[in-house]
Amino acid sequence: MSQVHGDTTVGSATHCPYCALQCGMYVANGEITPREDIPANAGGLCQKGWTAAELLTSPERITTPLLHGKPVTWEEALDYTAGRLRAIRAEHGPDAVAVFGGGGLTNEKAYQLGKFARVALRTSQIDYNGRFCMSSAAAAVNRAFGMDRGLPFPITDIGRADAVLLAGGNVAETMPPFVRHLTAMRSRGGRLVVIDPRLTQTARLADLHLQATPGTDLALALGLLHIAVAEGHADLGYLAARTTGFEAVRASVSAWWPERVERVTGVPVAQMREAVRILGEAGRAMILTGRGAEQHAKGTDTVTAFVNLALTLGLPGREGSGYGCVTGQGNGQGGREHGQKADQLPGYRKIDDPAARAHVAAVWGVDPADLPGPGRSAYELLDALGTPEGPRALLLFGSNPVVSAPRAGHVTERLAALDLLVVADFVLSETAAMADVVLPTTQWAEESGTMTNLEGRVLLRRQAAAPPPGARSDLRILGGLAERLGCGEKFPADPRTVFDELRRASAGGIADYSGITYERIAAETGVFWPCPATETAPEAGPHPGTPRPFLDRFATPDGRARMVPVDHRPPAEDVDEEFPLYLTSGRVLAHYQSGAQTRRIRSLNQVASEVFVEVHPDLAERLNVAPGDRVRVRSRRGAAEAVARVNASIRPDTVFMPFHWEGVNLLTNPALDPMSRMPEFKVCAAALERCTGEDMERDA
Ligand SMILES: Nc1nc2c(c(=O)[nH]1)N[C@H]1C(S)=C(S)[C@@H](COP(=O)(O)OP(=O)(O)OC[C@H]3O[C@@H](n4cnc5c(=O)[nH]c(N)nc54)[C@H](O)[C@@H]3O)O[C@H]1N2
Ligand SMILES: Nc1nc2c(c(=O)[nH]1)N[C@H]1C(S)=C(S)[C@@H](COP(=O)(O)OP(=O)(O)OC[C@H]3O[C@@H](n4cnc5c(=O)[nH]c(N)nc54)[C@H](O)[C@@H]3O)O[C@H]1N2
Ligand code: SF4
Ligand SMILES: [Mo]
């Protein structure tokens, strides 16, 4: 599609449909080439990015609405849906209808979905899959810094650091072009430390790999902090000037002497000391966390412990140093700012804050008293579906919980118990296949909108291809439903119109987008939030955006970072005789998330076509398992079969399964973090055995 003169929303320069790196790419006539002008990828792409256009024209694409599996017209699908929603609401009240969103949705969609729930449905029951993603890091940095921006610095700062500690992130497989920033750092003499129970592709790049037992990062961080204090690396001047609470934190780590931490984590004392030396002696250092450290029932406290370590070393708010969470989904950052979260209104406002309610209600043209309060968090919402107290209808945009939710067998039962399940998607995902109504949507390259990448840089995805007849954008679908619910005028389908309203709704909030326009993003290759509109002081010129928000002060009332003492505790479910192995989970390069998209791309599916479990050779020998054997992995929640991959890069007490296929989430433990409501995806107790001939016959 050629550039329409003067229209910034159409053109070949756009961004990848997948992860939070949001690599810049050109899409023209089905061909993808990388953009050089976007710093996150600067000319790089991973194989998922290179092949992303294939799904635009895939025969597996759905382009006709389905009602109970049968093709129907849009009028029929929307009339039916709105009629059922009205009936369910009339019989059971507004909270009987729930909404589930996704961190892959554009800012405009995430905003509109939150508004749709509160204004068109008047339900409190909305949450999204970001709860399963970076919510623990978000809770921890909100507590510490008063603001949650994944990386509070440009990604290129990483290349200029002298040391990086990466806890539980495998960027070599999850964001391959990210590696160039780590390589840039190392080529300048900087050092990389990685914490991971597996010797991953990322850990292979590291100068030091701490191969901790799953679920023990909190103890490890406390141990590193203990050593940092004992060896004189605490930056007392910085701590006095920029933080509160250090004394309590110092007292709380005194009991975490190195030998004790070694017993809990399996990491040798000498390696801990080396890690602290690398960080403590670096001029500029960074501590980063990924899902490995965060997706635990103690994820918030674990991230807090790493933040405390960073603060003790004097890193956050110093140019070139800091703490950051490596956000995951394409719009994982923006998706958590604009109101699709149960407790939230646009601009990263709290839904229970009267001033926030008044501001947003004015933008929406409703009475603040009519806005619902906070609803259930993602897993609690899924768990309540179809129960006497819970929602009876669910509208789902941008997630595939049948594969990706913890204890997915149970979640699938809950979805089946609904009176109405409506799924908007462009493929028939495992979840869409269960739906009463499937609404076929346009895809990333066929629509425009903004995405906020892992740095907090707001980017413009331009429309680069024409949508197939039959598909409608999520915004148009929401507009069509709103019209039938009597408030269509409040739900325009044009992304720019929605963005302009989002700007007003976010004005004055923590994530203030009011000074960001499509034109500015296009001209500047992105704008960092917060970026307030400065119309009140025109002589000051437009606000430049905020690449490094903490240089002068943190976003807390007194401007200081809050250090909060935390303590280690074992996983929600520890190993025992019956379930003697730690089971952890994560990703492989070729597939994205639940695989709904990438399992439908031929070349990616050829590289990785079935679920496997990684097993250490010693464990394999003990269990009489050979490479390639079919094995059964069991937990207290269920059982799943997988092909054994025997390799020495994993701890002998741990097995790993990717979650891109149905399998591992039949086993995972939905124990939730008390603050973030994050489920414990990254550790549960499991057992493994070779499948017998009988199993194979039964499965055949
Ligand atoms: N290829 C690919 N890339 C992706 C995605 C994808 O699905 N596929 N998804 C995107 C999204 S949404 C996200 S959130 C990011 C996630 O990006 P990452 O956080 O890098 O991904 P994971 O593979 O989930 O987990 C990272 C590592 O944590 C390790 N780990 C497991 N348990 C523990 C533990 O207890 N402690 C520690 N320290 N480490 C542990 C695992 O061995 C794994 O290597 O990736 C994004 N990019
Ligand atoms: N065991 C285990 N489970 C995990 C994790 C783990 O590490 N281990 N990680 C968790 C994490 S970090 C995440 S982020 C979740 C992700 O898991 P999911 O929430 O299931 O994410 P996706 O697989 O990306 O599902 C997105 C769905 O929405 C569709 N879609 C994509 N874009 C759009 C759009 O713009 N509009 C609409 N209507 N549909 C769209 C896609 O086709 C796909 O079907 O999984 C979590 N589950
Ligand atoms: S790293 Fe992420 S954004 Fe970049 S091409 Fe791969 S999937 Fe797309
Ligand atoms: Mo994620």
Side-chain angles (χ1 to χ4, degrees), residues 487-644:
C487 54
E489 76 291 348
K490 287 193 190 300
F491 293 89
D494 170 48
R496 185 197 297 263
T497 310
V498 176
F499 188 72
D500 284 338
E501 187 185 300
L502 177 162
R503 293 170 56 204
R504 283 186 286 126
S506 75
I510 291 176
D512 190 332
Y513 281 44
S514 57
I516 306 177
T517 61
Y518 278 21
E519 287 68 30
R520 260 193 82 174
I521 302 175
E524 299 172 35
T525 62
V527 181
F528 289 92
W529 71 259
C531 180
T534 49
E535 276 117 33
T536 45
E539 68 284 1
H543 190 286
T546 316
R548 300 181 188 85
F550 304 145
L551 287 182
D552 301 323
R553 63 192 310 278
F554 295 100
T556 52
D558 64 2
R560 291 160 181 266
R562 289 180 285 237
M563 298 185 76
V564 180
V566 290
D567 205 11
H568 179 70
R569 49 215 185 256
E573 179 184 73
D574 218 333
V575 294
D576 56 22
E577 247 172 62
E578 197 186 351
F579 295 103
L581 302 171
Y582 294 105
L583 168 65
T584 191
S585 60
R587 295 158 165 83
V588 297
L589 174 59
H591 286 299
Y592 190 65
Q593 313 279 60
S594 69
Q597 291 159 270
T598 52
R599 282 186 280 117
R600 293 179 164 86
I601 291 179
R602 208 177 327 114
S603 55
L604 298 177
N605 218 35
Q606 273 165 2
V607 184
S609 59
E610 59 181 355
V611 62
F612 63 84
V613 55
E614 247 176 58
V615 185
H616 189 277
D618 294 351
L619 178 64
E621 193 187 307
R622 196 146 54 73
L623 300 174
N624 193 23
V625 166
D629 277 355
R630 279 202 82 74
V631 295
R632 179 186 301 280
V633 190
R634 288 183 298 113
S635 81
R636 289 195 171 79
R637 268 79 43 207
E641 285 183 20
V643 173

Side-chain angles (χ1 to χ4, degrees), residues 97 99 232 443 465 511 568 641 655:
V97 177
V99 177
Q443 289 188 49
H568 179 70
E641 285 183 20
V655 295

